[in-house]
Amino acid sequence: MICGFDSGLIILTGETGAGKSIILDAVVMLIGGKADTTFVRTDSDAAFVEAVFHLTGPEKEAVHFILNREELMDDPNYVVLMREVRKEGRSVARINGRTVNVGLLKELGALLIDIHGQAEHLSLLDPRAHIGLLDRYAEVAHPLGDYRQTYHSILNLRRELADLRKAQSDSDRRIEMLTYQSEEIESARLKVGEDEELRKERDRLANAESLAENAQEALAILDEGSPETPAATDLIGQAAQALATLAKIDAGQAELSNQAELLLETISDVVHTLRDYLEEIEFNPKRLDAVEERLDMIHSLNRKYGGSIPAVLAYGADARKQLETITGAADRINELEMQEANLLENSQNRA
């Protein structure tokens, strides 16, 4: 039978074989104890144990501290523990419906249930539980919660301080390298896509003579001609004139005459464009050298900082950001040291 002598005290009694051990085993498994396949009933896939705890006693604040720390708080007056064991041996622990590790289940379960069997007083025999028992007896849950919060704040603060101090110890060398990298990239004044434009310009400058010769030859054939060979525009003009006369006689060939006129206009446009192109062809060895030098510099930066102009620019921005972080580390260290001193002073005053 089950007898309740006082709030929070439950005693299981009964004859051998009544099922006391099964209930206790389930409770032990629920609070992080051993969970193996022996708990799974034959022909079942899994065993489940779940309990809902109504938080009314001195354990409430300590439980809240853990739930808030792990971001598991739901209803402040209740907490739900669940344990699942699958027949292949895998077990799952949950608190308020969210999966957690067994260690957290044990930590929380120790606050909710204390099991005493025949000649077996678990908490009294576990040195790790002695301080908790004394704290509960002294009813210091509130100041203990404040202390733990302050303690964790100091730990987090000191971790950040350690990282900053380590970074600062390497700061001179790091600052020198980051400054060189950021200034090298910034001084280049790179523009996305300029490498492709420079390659096209280099090809034009390096082949200016050949480009001019080919353009001039085409222009001579189309528009200039020679005494022996009339220009293409003259020949096509003659053909267009003949077709125009033909169309006056045979109106059915008017479209053919129009096509000849269009061809003559197209060739005239080509001739005009070629003349403009010839004027733009630049014989400029100095500019060619400058373009080659710029391309070599871009290639060098790409090789060192990412392989492309966008990657180089991103690397430079990141280097500048790191510089700002490092140079601001001293101020942050001073700020954290003041926070640490205040936390220590407040904890001593409370003590």
Side-chain angles (χ1 to χ4, degrees), residues 222-333:
L222 291 173
D223 196 49
E224 296 174 2
S226 66
E228 296 81 15
T229 305
T233 51
D234 292 338
L235 295 174
I236 294 174
Q238 293 172 14
Q241 187 175 4
L243 288 172
T245 302
L246 184 149
K248 290 178 181 179
I249 299 171
D250 184 358
Q253 302 303 315
E255 179 61 27
L256 191 61
S257 175
N258 291 336
Q259 290 179 5
E261 288 291 338
L262 181 60
L263 179 59
L264 182 60
E265 290 177 6
T266 300
I267 291 178
S268 297
D269 289 341
V270 171
V271 169
H272 179 73
T273 303
L274 270 174
R275 292 190 187 281
D276 290 342
Y277 179 72
L278 272 168
E279 292 179 2
E280 293 174 358
I281 294 177
E282 185 179 5
F283 297 89
N284 190 340
K286 289 185 178 179
R287 175 58 185 167
L288 178 59
D289 291 341
V291 170
E292 292 281 11
E293 184 178 347
R294 178 74 174 170
L295 281 171
D296 287 343
M297 183 267 292
I298 293 174
H299 176 72
S300 176
L301 292 176
N302 285 346
R303 181 170 49 81
K304 288 194 289 185
Y305 301 122
S308 67
I309 288 179
V312 172
L313 294 173
Y315 192 101
D318 184 64
R320 180 60 63 184
K321 184 178 180 180
Q322 290 185 54
L323 267 176
E324 293 171 356
T325 301
I326 292 175
T327 53
D331 293 337
R332 179 60 177 162
I333 287 174

Side-chain angles (χ1 to χ4, degrees), residues 135-311:
D135 289 339
R136 290 170 63 180
Y137 178 76
E139 297 182 351
V140 292
H142 183 72
L144 180 60
D146 291 342
Y147 166 79
R148 285 173 173 165
Q149 185 174 0
T150 301
Y151 177 73
H152 285 291
S153 297
I154 292 175
L155 285 183
N156 292 333
L157 186 149
R158 285 177 174 172
R159 274 194 292 268
E160 185 177 355
L161 269 174
D163 292 340
L164 286 172
R165 285 167 178 155
K166 183 178 183 302
Q168 192 178 42
S169 66
D170 302 328
S171 63
D172 292 340
R173 179 179 56 83
R174 184 72 175 158
I175 286 173
E176 183 179 355
M177 181 183 68
L178 290 172
T179 300
Y180 171 79
Q181 291 174 337
S182 61
E183 289 181 352
E184 182 182 29
I185 293 171
E186 290 168 3
S187 64
R189 299 184 182 278
L190 298 175
K191 296 179 181 177
V192 176
E194 73 165 303
D195 49 347
E196 184 62 30
E197 293 299 322
L198 286 170
R199 278 191 286 269
K200 292 178 181 178
E201 184 180 1
R202 178 190 61 188
D203 292 342
R204 290 194 300 269
L205 289 168
N207 297 280
E209 184 175 352
S210 176
L211 294 174
E213 288 177 358
N214 286 281
Q216 187 61 56
E217 181 181 355
L219 191 60
I221 294 171
L222 291 173
D223 196 49
E224 296 174 2
S226 66
E228 296 81 15
T229 305
T233 51
D234 292 338
L235 295 174
I236 294 174
Q238 293 172 14
Q241 187 175 4
L243 288 172
T245 302
L246 184 149
K248 290 178 181 179
I249 299 171
D250 184 358
Q253 302 303 315
E255 179 61 27
L256 191 61
S257 175
N258 291 336
Q259 290 179 5
E261 288 291 338
L262 181 60
L263 179 59
L264 182 60
E265 290 177 6
T266 300
I267 291 178
S268 297
D269 289 341
V270 171
V271 169
H272 179 73
T273 303
L274 270 174
R275 292 190 187 281
D276 290 342
Y277 179 72
L278 272 168
E279 292 179 2
E280 293 174 358
I281 294 177
E282 185 179 5
F283 297 89
N284 190 340
K286 289 185 178 179
R287 175 58 185 167
L288 178 59
D289 291 341
V291 170
E292 292 281 11
E293 184 178 347
R294 178 74 174 170
L295 281 171
D296 287 343
M297 183 267 292
I298 293 174
H299 176 72
S300 176
L301 292 176
N302 285 346
R303 181 170 49 81
K304 288 194 289 185
Y305 301 122
S308 67
I309 288 179

Side-chain angles (χ1 to χ4, degrees), residues 20-230:
K20 303 185 298 299
S21 297
I22 294 176
I23 295 176
L24 285 175
D25 288 344
V27 173
V28 170
M29 183 175 73
L30 186 68
I31 60 173
K34 181 181 178 181
D36 57 40
T37 55
T38 59
F39 291 99
V40 182
R41 189 173 58 189
T42 304
D43 299 329
S44 295
D45 293 329
F48 298 87
V49 181
E50 184 176 70
V52 180
F53 294 88
H54 187 195
L55 306 175
T56 58
E59 80 287 346
K60 185 173 185 178
E61 190 165 357
V63 171
H64 281 187
F65 175 80
I66 295 175
L67 294 178
N68 287 322
R69 185 191 70 197
E70 303 296 332
E71 299 181 353
L72 295 170
M73 177 69 77
D74 281 343
D75 189 327
N77 294 317
Y78 294 91
V79 63
V80 180
L81 305 187
M82 194 277 282
R83 193 83 181 274
E84 173 187 354
V85 184
R86 297 188 178 276
K87 64 180 181 180
E88 65 270 17
R90 186 172 66 91
S91 70
V92 178
R94 291 188 177 90
I95 296 176
N96 285 339
R98 276 154 284 186
T99 303
V100 298
N101 59 53
V102 176
L104 182 59
L105 199 66
K106 288 181 178 179
E107 182 181 3
L108 197 61
L111 299 173
L112 297 170
I113 297 177
D114 190 15
I115 298 175
H116 299 269
Q118 184 177 4
E120 181 184 19
H121 308 291
L122 298 183
S123 296
L124 296 178
L125 295 175
D126 185 357
R128 296 172 297 178
H130 293 170
I131 292 179
L133 293 171
L134 288 172
D135 289 339
R136 290 170 63 180
Y137 178 76
E139 297 182 351
V140 292
H142 183 72
L144 180 60
D146 291 342
Y147 166 79
R148 285 173 173 165
Q149 185 174 0
T150 301
Y151 177 73
H152 285 291
S153 297
I154 292 175
L155 285 183
N156 292 333
L157 186 149
R158 285 177 174 172
R159 274 194 292 268
E160 185 177 355
L161 269 174
D163 292 340
L164 286 172
R165 285 167 178 155
K166 183 178 183 302
Q168 192 178 42
S169 66
D170 302 328
S171 63
D172 292 340
R173 179 179 56 83
R174 184 72 175 158
I175 286 173
E176 183 179 355
M177 181 183 68
L178 290 172
T179 300
Y180 171 79
Q181 291 174 337
S182 61
E183 289 181 352
E184 182 182 29
I185 293 171
E186 290 168 3
S187 64
R189 299 184 182 278
L190 298 175
K191 296 179 181 177
V192 176
E194 73 165 303
D195 49 347
E196 184 62 30
E197 293 299 322
L198 286 170
R199 278 191 286 269
K200 292 178 181 178
E201 184 180 1
R202 178 190 61 188
D203 292 342
R204 290 194 300 269
L205 289 168
N207 297 280
E209 184 175 352
S210 176
L211 294 174
E213 288 177 358
N214 286 281
Q216 187 61 56
E217 181 181 355
L219 191 60
I221 294 171
L222 291 173
D223 196 49
E224 296 174 2
S226 66
E228 296 81 15
T229 305

